């Protein structure tokens, strides 16, 4: 999976994604986590965007993330006795004695797993960590053909505050996709006020994109079973207008 997030990305993750992401997927995942019949594992727990709220609601939830900076931020948000519930681990090589009723990988976690070999390894590791009949939920973005061919010019997708009176802006852009490798090269530029001056941090990374039948074939090659493939977070059918793949897998009895 991809390398650890830079410190400034982890620092500003919450204010940015509270605006640009929470309304998209939070209800779906929190409902699933809080209604699970047993323990839950969140892959890519990040700063605890979902984890902290699920814990507050009484869920028996645990979390892993490859990034130590994100895990550190997450632990700052939860009570001391809950901090052992999150730890640094790569889901591709997940090894745990725990068995979960539900495992979730919100917000395009698998887009950071670039090769089919590692994708299958992750799916099989999830299978091994699930209880019989347990479910695995994850989402991916539906590729936009125009953006694949032309890329995205630099666009400000967040302009707000990271602290009272302290402005924060995030600019995103992407190059035309590498169609042979099925990756988008993404650039993010953060500009923020601090110490009476303006600061800047730049981050670049690749995201893997997927197509519908590729997802179906990947799951079929793994030990999991595909239960459903939706086009949104309310169970809608996948259509030409869909922007999200929402995938429901299960471990057989």
């Amino acid at each position: 999976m991809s390398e650890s997030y830079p410190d400034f990305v982890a620092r500003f993750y919450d204010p940015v994604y509270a605006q640009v992401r929470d309304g998209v997927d939070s209800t779906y995942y929190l409902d699933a986590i809080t209604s699970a019949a047993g323990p839950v594992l969140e892959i890519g727990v990040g700063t605890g965007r979902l984890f902290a709220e699920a814990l507050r609601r009484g869920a028996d939830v645990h979390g892993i993330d490859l990034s130590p900076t994100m895990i550190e931020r997450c632990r700052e948000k939860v009570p001391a006795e809950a901090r052992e519930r999150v730890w640094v681990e790569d889901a591709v090589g997940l090894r745990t004695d725990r068995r979960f009723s539900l495992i979730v990988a919100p917000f395009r976690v698998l887009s950071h797993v670039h090769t089919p070999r590692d994708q299958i390894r992750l799916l099989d590791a999830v299978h091994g960590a699930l209880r019989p009949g347990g479910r695995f939920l994850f989402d991916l973005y539906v590729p936009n053909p125009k953006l694949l061919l032309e890329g995205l010019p630099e666009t400000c997708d967040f302009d707000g505050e990271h602290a009272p009176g302290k402005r924060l802006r995030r600019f995103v852009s992407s190059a035309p996709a590498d169609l042979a490798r099925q990756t988008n090269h993404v650039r993010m530029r953060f500009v923020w006020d601090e110490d009476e001056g303006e600061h800047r941090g730049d981050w670049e990374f690749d995201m893997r994109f997927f197509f519908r039948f590729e997802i179906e074939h990947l799951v079929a090659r793994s030990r999991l079973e595909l239960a459903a493939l939706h086009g949104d977070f309310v169970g809608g059918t996948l259509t030409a207008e869909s922007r999200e793949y929402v995938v429901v897998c299960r471990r057989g009895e």
Side-chain angles (χ1 to χ4, degrees):
M1 295 177 69
S2 62
E3 296 178 357
S4 180
Y5 285 47
D7 288 344
F8 63 86
V9 175
R11 177 184 177 188
F12 299 130
Y13 191 93
D14 287 346
V16 170
Y17 286 104
Q19 175 175 304
V20 305
R21 188 65 184 176
D22 279 357
V24 176
D25 64 357
S26 56
T27 297
Y28 175 79
Y29 282 113
L30 286 170
D31 284 351
I33 292 169
T34 55
S35 63
V40 179
L41 177 67
E42 181 182 351
I43 294 173
V45 69
T47 64
R49 180 176 69 95
L50 300 171
F51 173 86
E53 177 60 19
L55 195 67
R56 189 189 68 80
R57 297 186 189 185
D60 182 10
V61 60
H62 306 260
I64 63 171
D65 201 287
L66 185 61
S67 171
T69 55
M70 299 293 267
I71 288 290
E72 181 179 353
R73 292 279 170 180
C74 182
R75 286 175 173 161
E76 291 173 355
K77 295 165 68 173
V78 300
E81 62 272 16
R83 290 171 187 164
E84 64 181 15
R85 286 177 171 265
V86 294
W87 64 94
V88 176
E89 186 166 355
D90 186 346
V92 170
L94 175 64
R95 294 181 180 179
T96 177
D97 293 331
R98 297 184 179 96
R99 292 295 177 264
F100 300 93
S101 294
L102 174 69
I103 298 178
V104 299
F107 198 18
R108 305 165 183 170
V109 167
L110 269 76
S111 288
H112 298 282
V113 185
H114 290 181
T115 68
R117 177 178 178 272
D118 282 347
Q119 292 154 10
I120 296 295
R121 286 180 62 200
L122 187 152
L123 293 175
D124 284 345
V126 165
H127 179 278
L130 281 172
R131 294 176 176 177
R135 295 187 303 156
F136 176 43
L137 312 180
F138 66 95
D139 63 87
L140 295 161
Y141 64 95
V142 176
N144 180 318
K146 179 179 173 63
L147 293 180
L148 293 184
L149 293 175
E150 300 177 5
L152 176 71
E154 187 169 78
T155 303
C156 180
D157 70 341
F158 178 87
D159 189 346
E161 292 184 337
H162 66 90
K166 301 291 186 180
R167 188 181 185 189
L168 167 67
R169 288 171 291 161
R170 189 181 76 166
F171 300 84
V172 297
S173 62
S174 66
D178 183 333
L179 298 179
R181 296 178 57 243
Q182 286 186 217
T183 56
N184 287 314
H185 188 72
V186 180
R187 305 180 186 93
M188 291 186 178
R189 179 163 58 93
F190 291 75
V191 181
W192 67 95
D193 294 339
E194 193 166 56
D195 300 328
E196 308 303 323
E198 187 175 87
H199 297 253
R200 169 176 168 164
D202 295 286
W203 184 38
E204 299 187 17
F205 57 95
D206 289 332
M207 292 192 74
R208 177 77 149 74
F209 58 86
F210 295 79
F211 297 101
R212 175 195 179 156
F213 294 119
E214 178 183 13
I215 295 171
E216 293 189 8
H217 281 292
L218 277 172
V219 176
R221 289 182 59 198
S222 78
R223 299 170 65 193
L224 292 167
E225 302 170 1
L226 182 64
L229 179 56
H230 301 298
D232 56 37
F233 288 101
V234 293
T237 302
L238 186 66
T239 70
E241 287 72 43
S242 298
R243 300 180 63 186
E244 309 277 352
Y245 299 115
V246 181
V247 188
V248 182
C249 301
R250 67 185 297 273
R251 173 175 174 159
E253 299 289 347

